[in-house]
Amino acid sequence: MARNGLEIIEGLLEKVEELSGQNVFACYQCGMCSAGCPLTDEMDLLPNQVIRGLQLRDWRTMESNAMWICASCFSCQVRCPKGVDLARLMEAMRQIYLRQQLDHVSIDDMTPEQISKLPQIALVASFRKKTG
Ligand code: SF4
Ligand code: SF4
């Protein structure tokens, strides 16, 4: 079990590929995706490092915050010379996590001030993306 409570399932790499429709091994680590990603400052792993982790079957990749930070902007996919759609990979990783009824955000962990100040649309979007 990973630190975040995720049950490590047999064949996680294959599940990510099945859900995303992407071939993880198409990536040859050129780094173009990370160079163009607008959110790498907030990520603990760069997008190309996420793919490398999957290739190596390093399940610590699933503990990275990158999949939650990714905004599915598709800049990486446009830049990728191999046509790898990282946004789909990130979405598949989120789905594997959320389908185990694990929430990445919880309203119980938010302060009343956060709840009152955050735009409602941001709260709704966050719960749709980050709760199982
Ligand atoms: S741009 Fe494509 S080939 Fe290059 S590191 Fe990113 S996913 Fe891999
Ligand atoms: S889709 Fe996600 S990983 Fe790709 S560039 Fe946008 S934010 Fe970064």
Side-chain angles (χ1 to χ4, degrees):
M1 181 179 286
R3 275 199 308 276
N4 56 15
L6 179 76
E7 293 284 346
I8 298 303
I9 57 171
E10 189 84 11
L12 184 55
L13 168 63
E14 288 73 16
K15 192 72 182 169
V16 170
E17 288 193 321
E18 178 193 333
L19 289 173
S20 67
Q22 302 301 299
N23 175 10
V24 167
F25 291 99
C27 168
Y28 62 176
Q29 288 294 298
C30 68
M32 288 287 285
C33 48
S34 299
C37 175
L39 292 172
T40 50
D41 283 352
E42 307 298 327
M43 293 177 176
D44 55 10
L45 285 181
L46 298 174
N48 70 293
Q49 291 174 323
V50 170
I51 290 214
R52 189 62 183 142
L54 290 171
Q55 289 174 336
L56 295 173
R57 297 176 183 268
D58 182 346
W59 308 133
R60 289 172 298 179
T61 311
M62 292 295 288
E63 298 177 343
S64 163
N65 73 357
M67 63 176 151
W68 305 110
I69 298 293
C70 172
S72 302
C73 70
F74 298 107
S75 296
C76 48
Q77 190 222 350
V78 170
R79 295 170 64 94
C80 177
K82 300 290 288 186
V84 177
D85 191 335
L86 249 161
R88 283 184 188 269
L89 283 174
M90 299 278 197
E91 170 64 14
M93 292 165 68
R94 288 196 298 269
Q95 285 304 314
I96 288 169
Y97 187 97
L98 297 174
R99 287 179 186 183
Q100 295 186 32
Q101 303 301 312
L102 297 168
D103 294 337
H104 186 64
V105 296
S106 168
I107 199 159
D108 294 336
D109 296 333
M110 293 181 173
T111 64
E113 190 186 12
Q114 285 174 321
I115 293 171
S116 66
K117 286 196 172 166
L118 281 170
Q120 207 169 25
I121 194 166
L123 280 172
V124 171
S126 181
F127 289 134
R128 289 189 66 172
K129 177 179 174 181
K130 298 178 176 176
T131 58

